[in-house]
Amino acid sequence: MNTQSTIYNILIFKTNIKTEEDKHKIAPLLDALLSIRRWTVDCEDCDCVLRIESDNLTEDEIIKLIQQGGFTCEVLND
């Protein structure tokens, strides 16, 4: 049996997406990209952490997309 598992890149960002309403505003932009497998925003975290699982998007592409939606976004370093 040949089983292949796909490993996605997990991109992590600090944002100002703070509320459920903010998440609803940004959802259409993120959901429209087929290369995003899954995304979450942790509004409880002080950095409002956005996590994106993708197989080919870059950090810069995500930052530009979030900024187009009217929010701030920067790479969250360890």
Side-chain angles (χ1 to χ4, degrees), residues 22-47:
D22 290 346
K23 284 201 275 187
H24 289 296
K25 288 178 185 175
I26 207 72
L29 294 173
L30 296 171
D31 291 342
L33 289 176
L34 298 177
S35 54
I36 293 179
R37 302 295 179 204
R38 181 172 176 239
W39 65 271
T40 61
V41 177
D42 184 355
C43 295
E44 300 296 318
D45 188 281
C46 64
D47 290 325

PDB file of all heavy atoms in Angstrom, residues 22-47:
ATOM      1  N   ASP A  22     -13.752  40.749  13.307  1.00  0.00           N
ATOM      2  CA  ASP A  22     -12.533  40.894  12.496  1.00  0.00           C
ATOM      3  C   ASP A  22     -12.262  39.619  11.703  1.00  0.00           C
ATOM      4  O   ASP A  22     -11.906  39.674  10.526  1.00  0.00           O
ATOM      5  CB  ASP A  22     -11.322  41.206  13.381  1.00  0.00           C
ATOM      6  CG  ASP A  22     -11.357  42.589  13.998  1.00  0.00           C
ATOM      7  OD1 ASP A  22     -12.171  43.431  13.557  1.00  0.00           O
ATOM      8  OD2 ASP A  22     -10.571  42.824  14.937  1.00  0.00           O
ATOM      9  N   LYS A  23     -12.427  38.472  12.352  1.00  0.00           N
ATOM     10  CA  LYS A  23     -12.200  37.195  11.655  1.00  0.00           C
ATOM     11  C   LYS A  23     -13.169  37.031  10.485  1.00  0.00           C
ATOM     12  O   LYS A  23     -12.774  36.556   9.425  1.00  0.00           O
ATOM     13  CB  LYS A  23     -12.344  36.015  12.611  1.00  0.00           C
ATOM     14  CG  LYS A  23     -11.154  35.845  13.520  1.00  0.00           C
ATOM     15  CD  LYS A  23     -11.044  34.449  14.079  1.00  0.00           C
ATOM     16  CE  LYS A  23     -11.860  34.223  15.293  1.00  0.00           C
ATOM     17  NZ  LYS A  23     -11.622  32.918  15.922  1.00  0.00           N
ATOM     18  N   HIS A  24     -14.409  37.446  10.676  1.00  0.00           N
ATOM     19  CA  HIS A  24     -15.401  37.355   9.595  1.00  0.00           C
ATOM     20  C   HIS A  24     -15.034  38.281   8.434  1.00  0.00           C
ATOM     21  O   HIS A  24     -15.323  37.973   7.283  1.00  0.00           O
ATOM     22  CB  HIS A  24     -16.803  37.658  10.114  1.00  0.00           C
ATOM     23  CG  HIS A  24     -17.355  36.583  10.986  1.00  0.00           C
ATOM     24  ND1 HIS A  24     -17.609  35.308  10.540  1.00  0.00           N
ATOM     25  CD2 HIS A  24     -17.675  36.586  12.295  1.00  0.00           C
ATOM     26  CE1 HIS A  24     -18.066  34.573  11.537  1.00  0.00           C
ATOM     27  NE2 HIS A  24     -18.116  35.324  12.619  1.00  0.00           N
ATOM     28  N   LYS A  25     -14.411  39.406   8.738  1.00  0.00           N
ATOM     29  CA  LYS A  25     -14.000  40.335   7.683  1.00  0.00           C
ATOM     30  C   LYS A  25     -12.864  39.755   6.836  1.00  0.00           C
ATOM     31  O   LYS A  25     -12.810  39.961   5.630  1.00  0.00           O
ATOM     32  CB  LYS A  25     -13.539  41.668   8.290  1.00  0.00           C
ATOM     33  CG  LYS A  25     -14.669  42.501   8.845  1.00  0.00           C
ATOM     34  CD  LYS A  25     -14.123  43.776   9.462  1.00  0.00           C
ATOM     35  CE  LYS A  25     -15.217  44.579  10.139  1.00  0.00           C
ATOM     36  NZ  LYS A  25     -14.673  45.755  10.841  1.00  0.00           N
ATOM     37  N   ILE A  26     -11.951  39.052   7.466  1.00  0.00           N
ATOM     38  CA  ILE A  26     -10.776  38.531   6.768  1.00  0.00           C
ATOM     39  C   ILE A  26     -11.029  37.151   6.142  1.00  0.00           C
ATOM     40  O   ILE A  26     -10.317  36.744   5.221  1.00  0.00           O
ATOM     41  CB  ILE A  26      -9.564  38.519   7.728  1.00  0.00           C
ATOM     42  CG1 ILE A  26      -8.269  38.642   6.958  1.00  0.00           C
ATOM     43  CG2 ILE A  26      -9.525  37.302   8.604  1.00  0.00           C
ATOM     44  CD1 ILE A  26      -8.016  39.985   6.376  1.00  0.00           C
ATOM     45  N   ALA A  27     -12.037  36.450   6.623  1.00  0.00           N
ATOM     46  CA  ALA A  27     -12.313  35.087   6.151  1.00  0.00           C
ATOM     47  C   ALA A  27     -12.467  34.970   4.634  1.00  0.00           C
ATOM     48  O   ALA A  27     -11.889  34.058   4.034  1.00  0.00           O
ATOM     49  CB  ALA A  27     -13.533  34.512   6.869  1.00  0.00           C
ATOM     50  N   PRO A  28     -13.213  35.851   3.966  1.00  0.00           N
ATOM     51  CA  PRO A  28     -13.361  35.694   2.509  1.00  0.00           C
ATOM     52  C   PRO A  28     -12.031  35.758   1.760  1.00  0.00           C
ATOM     53  O   PRO A  28     -11.836  35.038   0.781  1.00  0.00           O
ATOM     54  CB  PRO A  28     -14.272  36.857   2.108  1.00  0.00           C
ATOM     55  CG  PRO A  28     -15.018  37.215   3.352  1.00  0.00           C
ATOM     56  CD  PRO A  28     -14.072  36.933   4.474  1.00  0.00           C
ATOM     57  N   LEU A  29     -11.109  36.579   2.233  1.00  0.00           N
ATOM     58  CA  LEU A  29      -9.799  36.677   1.584  1.00  0.00           C
ATOM     59  C   LEU A  29      -9.001  35.384   1.751  1.00  0.00           C
ATOM     60  O   LEU A  29      -8.388  34.891   0.806  1.00  0.00           O
ATOM     61  CB  LEU A  29      -8.998  37.842   2.164  1.00  0.00           C
ATOM     62  CG  LEU A  29      -9.531  39.241   1.914  1.00  0.00           C
ATOM     63  CD1 LEU A  29      -8.718  40.271   2.686  1.00  0.00           C
ATOM     64  CD2 LEU A  29      -9.498  39.554   0.433  1.00  0.00           C
ATOM     65  N   LEU A  30      -9.009  34.843   2.965  1.00  0.00           N
ATOM     66  CA  LEU A  30      -8.249  33.628   3.227  1.00  0.00           C
ATOM     67  C   LEU A  30      -8.917  32.399   2.615  1.00  0.00           C
ATOM     68  O   LEU A  30      -8.238  31.526   2.071  1.00  0.00           O
ATOM     69  CB  LEU A  30      -8.057  33.449   4.737  1.00  0.00           C
ATOM     70  CG  LEU A  30      -7.224  34.534   5.416  1.00  0.00           C
ATOM     71  CD1 LEU A  30      -7.276  34.386   6.923  1.00  0.00           C
ATOM     72  CD2 LEU A  30      -5.793  34.508   4.916  1.00  0.00           C
ATOM     73  N   ASP A  31     -10.235  32.336   2.689  1.00  0.00           N
ATOM     74  CA  ASP A  31     -10.956  31.188   2.150  1.00  0.00           C
ATOM     75  C   ASP A  31     -10.885  31.118   0.625  1.00  0.00           C
ATOM     76  O   ASP A  31     -11.015  30.046   0.044  1.00  0.00           O
ATOM     77  CB  ASP A  31     -12.425  31.217   2.591  1.00  0.00           C
ATOM     78  CG  ASP A  31     -12.581  30.966   4.090  1.00  0.00           C
ATOM     79  OD1 ASP A  31     -11.640  30.444   4.713  1.00  0.00           O
ATOM     80  OD2 ASP A  31     -13.649  31.311   4.626  1.00  0.00           O
ATOM     81  N   ALA A  32     -10.656  32.252  -0.020  1.00  0.00           N
ATOM     82  CA  ALA A  32     -10.605  32.291  -1.485  1.00  0.00           C
ATOM     83  C   ALA A  32      -9.323  31.669  -2.040  1.00  0.00           C
ATOM     84  O   ALA A  32      -9.280  31.294  -3.209  1.00  0.00           O
ATOM     85  CB  ALA A  32     -10.740  33.730  -1.973  1.00  0.00           C
ATOM     86  N   LEU A  33      -8.303  31.561  -1.218  1.00  0.00           N
ATOM     87  CA  LEU A  33      -7.041  30.992  -1.687  1.00  0.00           C
ATOM     88  C   LEU A  33      -7.047  29.473  -1.505  1.00  0.00           C
ATOM     89  O   LEU A  33      -7.003  28.974  -0.380  1.00  0.00           O
ATOM     90  CB  LEU A  33      -5.862  31.593  -0.923  1.00  0.00           C
ATOM     91  CG  LEU A  33      -5.546  33.046  -1.233  1.00  0.00           C
ATOM     92  CD1 LEU A  33      -4.431  33.543  -0.336  1.00  0.00           C
ATOM     93  CD2 LEU A  33      -5.152  33.196  -2.691  1.00  0.00           C
ATOM     94  N   LEU A  34      -7.077  28.766  -2.597  1.00  0.00           N
ATOM     95  CA  LEU A  34      -7.122  27.309  -2.540  1.00  0.00           C
ATOM     96  C   LEU A  34      -5.842  26.719  -1.960  1.00  0.00           C
ATOM     97  O   LEU A  34      -5.853  25.584  -1.468  1.00  0.00           O
ATOM     98  CB  LEU A  34      -7.387  26.735  -3.932  1.00  0.00           C
ATOM     99  CG  LEU A  34      -8.727  27.127  -4.554  1.00  0.00           C
ATOM    100  CD1 LEU A  34      -8.845  26.553  -5.954  1.00  0.00           C
ATOM    101  CD2 LEU A  34      -9.880  26.690  -3.672  1.00  0.00           C
ATOM    102  N   SER A  35      -4.762  27.459  -2.006  1.00  0.00           N
ATOM    103  CA  SER A  35      -3.502  26.953  -1.473  1.00  0.00           C
ATOM    104  C   SER A  35      -3.428  27.033   0.057  1.00  0.00           C
ATOM    105  O   SER A  35      -2.499  26.506   0.653  1.00  0.00           O
ATOM    106  CB  SER A  35      -2.320  27.684  -2.096  1.00  0.00           C
ATOM    107  OG  SER A  35      -2.458  29.060  -1.938  1.00  0.00           O
ATOM    108  N   ILE A  36      -4.415  27.656   0.683  1.00  0.00           N
ATOM    109  CA  ILE A  36      -4.502  27.640   2.144  1.00  0.00           C
ATOM    110  C   ILE A  36      -5.335  26.428   2.537  1.00  0.00           C
ATOM    111  O   ILE A  36      -6.504  26.313   2.186  1.00  0.00           O
ATOM    112  CB  ILE A  36      -5.129  28.933   2.706  1.00  0.00           C
ATOM    113  CG1 ILE A  36      -4.205  30.118   2.448  1.00  0.00           C
ATOM    114  CG2 ILE A  36      -5.405  28.782   4.202  1.00  0.00           C
ATOM    115  CD1 ILE A  36      -4.748  31.441   2.937  1.00  0.00           C
ATOM    116  N   ARG A  37      -4.700  25.521   3.238  1.00  0.00           N
ATOM    117  CA  ARG A  37      -5.395  24.300   3.689  1.00  0.00           C
ATOM    118  C   ARG A  37      -6.221  24.550   4.945  1.00  0.00           C
ATOM    119  O   ARG A  37      -7.278  23.976   5.127  1.00  0.00           O
ATOM    120  CB  ARG A  37      -4.384  23.188   3.972  1.00  0.00           C
ATOM    121  CG  ARG A  37      -3.527  22.845   2.800  1.00  0.00           C
ATOM    122  CD  ARG A  37      -4.365  22.264   1.693  1.00  0.00           C
ATOM    123  NE  ARG A  37      -3.506  21.952   0.548  1.00  0.00           N
ATOM    124  CZ  ARG A  37      -3.940  21.870  -0.680  1.00  0.00           C
ATOM    125  NH1 ARG A  37      -5.191  22.094  -0.957  1.00  0.00           N
ATOM    126  NH2 ARG A  37      -3.118  21.576  -1.656  1.00  0.00           N
ATOM    127  N   ARG A  38      -5.689  25.396   5.814  1.00  0.00           N
ATOM    128  CA  ARG A  38      -6.373  25.679   7.078  1.00  0.00           C
ATOM    129  C   ARG A  38      -5.803  26.970   7.625  1.00  0.00           C
ATOM    130  O   ARG A  38      -4.624  27.258   7.469  1.00  0.00           O
ATOM    131  CB  ARG A  38      -6.101  24.527   8.049  1.00  0.00           C
ATOM    132  CG  ARG A  38      -6.774  24.682   9.378  1.00  0.00           C
ATOM    133  CD  ARG A  38      -6.614  23.418  10.214  1.00  0.00           C
ATOM    134  NE  ARG A  38      -7.200  23.671  11.502  1.00  0.00           N
ATOM    135  CZ  ARG A  38      -6.556  23.596  12.651  1.00  0.00           C
ATOM    136  NH1 ARG A  38      -5.306  23.229  12.685  1.00  0.00           N
ATOM    137  NH2 ARG A  38      -7.156  23.872  13.774  1.00  0.00           N
ATOM    138  N   TRP A  39      -6.636  27.743   8.286  1.00  0.00           N
ATOM    139  CA  TRP A  39      -6.152  28.950   8.958  1.00  0.00           C
ATOM    140  C   TRP A  39      -6.924  29.150  10.248  1.00  0.00           C
ATOM    141  O   TRP A  39      -8.078  28.743  10.365  1.00  0.00           O
ATOM    142  CB  TRP A  39      -6.250  30.182   8.056  1.00  0.00           C
ATOM    143  CG  TRP A  39      -7.642  30.599   7.674  1.00  0.00           C
ATOM    144  CD1 TRP A  39      -8.358  30.170   6.600  1.00  0.00           C
ATOM    145  CD2 TRP A  39      -8.487  31.513   8.374  1.00  0.00           C
ATOM    146  NE1 TRP A  39      -9.585  30.761   6.570  1.00  0.00           N
ATOM    147  CE2 TRP A  39      -9.693  31.591   7.652  1.00  0.00           C
ATOM    148  CE3 TRP A  39      -8.341  32.272   9.523  1.00  0.00           C
ATOM    149  CZ2 TRP A  39     -10.758  32.401   8.061  1.00  0.00           C
ATOM    150  CZ3 TRP A  39      -9.396  33.077   9.927  1.00  0.00           C
ATOM    151  CH2 TRP A  39     -10.587  33.134   9.194  1.00  0.00           C
ATOM    152  N   THR A  40      -6.253  29.746  11.230  1.00  0.00           N
ATOM    153  CA  THR A  40      -6.887  30.063  12.510  1.00  0.00           C
ATOM    154  C   THR A  40      -6.327  31.387  13.018  1.00  0.00           C
ATOM    155  O   THR A  40      -5.208  31.766  12.685  1.00  0.00           O
ATOM    156  CB  THR A  40      -6.626  28.979  13.586  1.00  0.00           C
ATOM    157  OG1 THR A  40      -5.219  28.883  13.813  1.00  0.00           O
ATOM    158  CG2 THR A  40      -7.186  27.626  13.169  1.00  0.00           C
ATOM    159  N   VAL A  41      -7.124  32.057  13.823  1.00  0.00           N
ATOM    160  CA  VAL A  41      -6.665  33.251  14.532  1.00  0.00           C
ATOM    161  C   VAL A  41      -6.975  33.044  16.012  1.00  0.00           C
ATOM    162  O   VAL A  41      -8.108  32.740  16.373  1.00  0.00           O
ATOM    163  CB  VAL A  41      -7.371  34.542  14.037  1.00  0.00           C
ATOM    164  CG1 VAL A  41      -6.900  35.737  14.851  1.00  0.00           C
ATOM    165  CG2 VAL A  41      -7.125  34.758  12.564  1.00  0.00           C
ATOM    166  N   ASP A  42      -5.972  33.199  16.842  1.00  0.00           N
ATOM    167  CA  ASP A  42      -6.143  33.079  18.287  1.00  0.00           C
ATOM    168  C   ASP A  42      -6.333  34.474  18.863  1.00  0.00           C
ATOM    169  O   ASP A  42      -5.368  35.186  19.155  1.00  0.00           O
ATOM    170  CB  ASP A  42      -4.930  32.397  18.906  1.00  0.00           C
ATOM    171  CG  ASP A  42      -5.084  32.164  20.399  1.00  0.00           C
ATOM    172  OD1 ASP A  42      -6.095  32.618  20.984  1.00  0.00           O
ATOM    173  OD2 ASP A  42      -4.190  31.543  20.990  1.00  0.00           O
ATOM    174  N   CYS A  43      -7.591  34.870  18.998  1.00  0.00           N
ATOM    175  CA  CYS A  43      -7.914  36.211  19.503  1.00  0.00           C
ATOM    176  C   CYS A  43      -7.633  36.349  20.999  1.00  0.00           C
ATOM    177  O   CYS A  43      -7.572  37.460  21.515  1.00  0.00           O
ATOM    178  CB  CYS A  43      -9.377  36.538  19.220  1.00  0.00           C
ATOM    179  SG  CYS A  43      -9.767  36.654  17.470  1.00  0.00           S
ATOM    180  N   GLU A  44      -7.452  35.232  21.691  1.00  0.00           N
ATOM    181  CA  GLU A  44      -7.162  35.269  23.123  1.00  0.00           C
ATOM    182  C   GLU A  44      -5.684  35.577  23.382  1.00  0.00           C
ATOM    183  O   GLU A  44      -5.331  36.050  24.450  1.00  0.00           O
ATOM    184  CB  GLU A  44      -7.530  33.928  23.770  1.00  0.00           C
ATOM    185  CG  GLU A  44      -8.997  33.557  23.637  1.00  0.00           C
ATOM    186  CD  GLU A  44      -9.900  34.530  24.380  1.00  0.00           C
ATOM    187  OE1 GLU A  44      -9.561  34.924  25.513  1.00  0.00           O
ATOM    188  OE2 GLU A  44     -10.947  34.887  23.819  1.00  0.00           O
ATOM    189  N   ASP A  45      -4.840  35.293  22.406  1.00  0.00           N
ATOM    190  CA  ASP A  45      -3.403  35.546  22.542  1.00  0.00           C
ATOM    191  C   ASP A  45      -3.138  37.042  22.405  1.00  0.00           C
ATOM    192  O   ASP A  45      -3.775  37.714  21.600  1.00  0.00           O
ATOM    193  CB  ASP A  45      -2.656  34.756  21.460  1.00  0.00           C
ATOM    194  CG  ASP A  45      -1.161  34.809  21.651  1.00  0.00           C
ATOM    195  OD1 ASP A  45      -0.574  35.846  21.277  1.00  0.00           O
ATOM    196  OD2 ASP A  45      -0.589  33.827  22.156  1.00  0.00           O
ATOM    197  N   CYS A  46      -2.171  37.550  23.143  1.00  0.00           N
ATOM    198  CA  CYS A  46      -1.875  38.995  23.085  1.00  0.00           C
ATOM    199  C   CYS A  46      -1.374  39.419  21.708  1.00  0.00           C
ATOM    200  O   CYS A  46      -1.490  40.589  21.345  1.00  0.00           O
ATOM    201  CB  CYS A  46      -0.875  39.387  24.163  1.00  0.00           C
ATOM    202  SG  CYS A  46       0.755  38.629  23.961  1.00  0.00           S
ATOM    203  N   ASP A  47      -0.831  38.488  20.928  1.00  0.00           N
ATOM    204  CA  ASP A  47      -0.357  38.789  19.578  1.00  0.00           C
ATOM    205  C   ASP A  47      -1.396  38.492  18.496  1.00  0.00           C
ATOM    206  O   ASP A  47      -1.096  38.643  17.314  1.00  0.00           O
ATOM    207  CB  ASP A  47       0.927  37.994  19.277  1.00  0.00           C
ATOM    208  CG  ASP A  47       2.119  38.484  20.080  1.00  0.00           C
ATOM    209  OD1 ASP A  47       2.209  39.703  20.317  1.00  0.00           O
ATOM    210  OD2 ASP A  47       2.966  37.648  20.455  1.00  0.00           O
TER     211      ASP A  47
END
